[in-house]
Amino acid sequence: MHSDQVLPRRCFVTIGATAGFRQLLDEIIQPAFLTCLAEHGFDMLEVQCGPDHDWFAQQTGSLEKEATHGVEIRSFEYTKDMQSHMLECRGEAGVRLAGCIISHAGSGTILEALRYQAPLVVVPNPTLMDNHQAELAEECEQQNWAVYGKLGHLAAAVGRSCERLAQGRSLSHLNALAPYSPPPFPVPERERVTLFDWMVLTCYPDELARQQHLRDLDAVELAFVEEQWQKSETETAGREREDLRSSPLEVD
């Protein structure tokens, strides 16, 4: 449970601005999920519902107070200020415990959540035509960027996210971050360590072209060094052959 000296945890769910994701919205208001939030010290469930907002509002409006286990539920259709909602899930020393963002597997949303260093659960939408969201979610989990959340098991995914915060050495610091400060863009190359850092360069064509130019220069330099090395090896081998031919044979 949370400390009395900091704000409780917040859970923010976002399904994106285009496709609906009613399966996800339905699961997060089921007793098992709301019980999980309460048991892990969450006091707020905030949901960006997209085109399913009216339906979601009807579902939450019919919930008995006891069914929410003390978790307040708020919802809206869209927002132009995703940052403020995500930052409510970012842990900050002496202010709040790290909460959880539950997101559809859209690369832009994932990138934004990772920028804020908020714990993230990525949930692929199975109604989409191809499997790219599942592949992205799997990659996020393999790289330890997020938890792969599967429909029907979202309470377990939130539980795993909270356990990682409590036990994982690489994530425990997320409960006590400094106040958020926007990073420089593009991300400095020495700090560019994830696929998403490189993806963001597509928004900066001049920087992307510069990076490509530097890589081209590196390739030319490497080719030149290899050519000189091979030339040196060839010359050395030639001299050794000449020395052998010119040296008198020793006879016992």
Side-chain angles (χ1 to χ4, degrees), residues 77 158 160 164 169:
E77 189 173 359
V158 171
R160 284 200 293 129
R164 289 170 59 175
R169 293 180 181 177

Side-chain angles (χ1 to χ4, degrees), residues 45-178:
L45 172 62
E46 194 170 37
V47 188
Q48 181 265 313
C49 303
D52 292 319
H53 180 250
D54 290 343
W55 173 86
F56 186 78
Q58 291 176 358
Q59 303 303 308
T60 56
S62 64
L63 286 176
E64 298 290 339
K65 184 176 181 180
E66 293 77 12
T68 66
H69 299 282
V71 177
E72 183 180 353
I73 303 174
R74 297 178 184 174
S75 64
F76 54 89
E77 189 173 359
Y78 301 108
T79 179
K80 293 182 179 179
D81 186 16
M82 188 69 76
Q83 174 177 302
S84 64
H85 299 284
M86 288 189 170
L87 286 178
E88 289 292 329
C89 299
R90 171 188 165 95
E92 186 175 326
V95 177
R96 70 174 64 84
L97 293 173
C100 184
I101 296 172
I102 300 177
S103 170
H104 71 124
S107 59
T109 306
I110 293 172
L111 170 62
E112 190 167 8
L114 293 178
R115 284 272 174 247
Y116 304 141
Q117 295 180 278
L120 178 64
V121 173
V122 179
V123 186
N125 188 339
T127 64
L128 299 181
M129 294 296 291
D130 56 43
N131 199 40
H132 74 280
Q133 286 204 348
E135 293 173 352
L136 182 54
E138 289 174 355
E139 181 66 17
C140 285
E141 172 130 348
Q142 289 176 5
Q143 298 297 331
N144 204 32
W145 299 330
V147 170
Y148 182 175
K150 297 181 181 180
L151 292 174
H153 304 279
L154 294 186
V158 171
R160 284 200 293 129
S161 179
C162 292
E163 288 171 3
R164 289 170 59 175
L165 285 171
Q167 301 173 4
R169 293 180 181 177
S170 63
L171 294 173
S172 58
H173 72 286
L174 295 184
N175 272 324
L177 295 170

Side-chain angles (χ1 to χ4, degrees), residues 26-55:
D26 182 61
E27 186 169 347
I28 62 174
I29 53 174
Q30 296 304 312
F33 186 83
L34 293 171
T35 300
C36 173
L37 291 186
E39 289 177 346
H40 285 93
F42 288 83
D43 74 333
M44 174 73 70
L45 172 62
E46 194 170 37
V47 188
Q48 181 265 313
C49 303
D52 292 319
H53 180 250
D54 290 343
W55 173 86

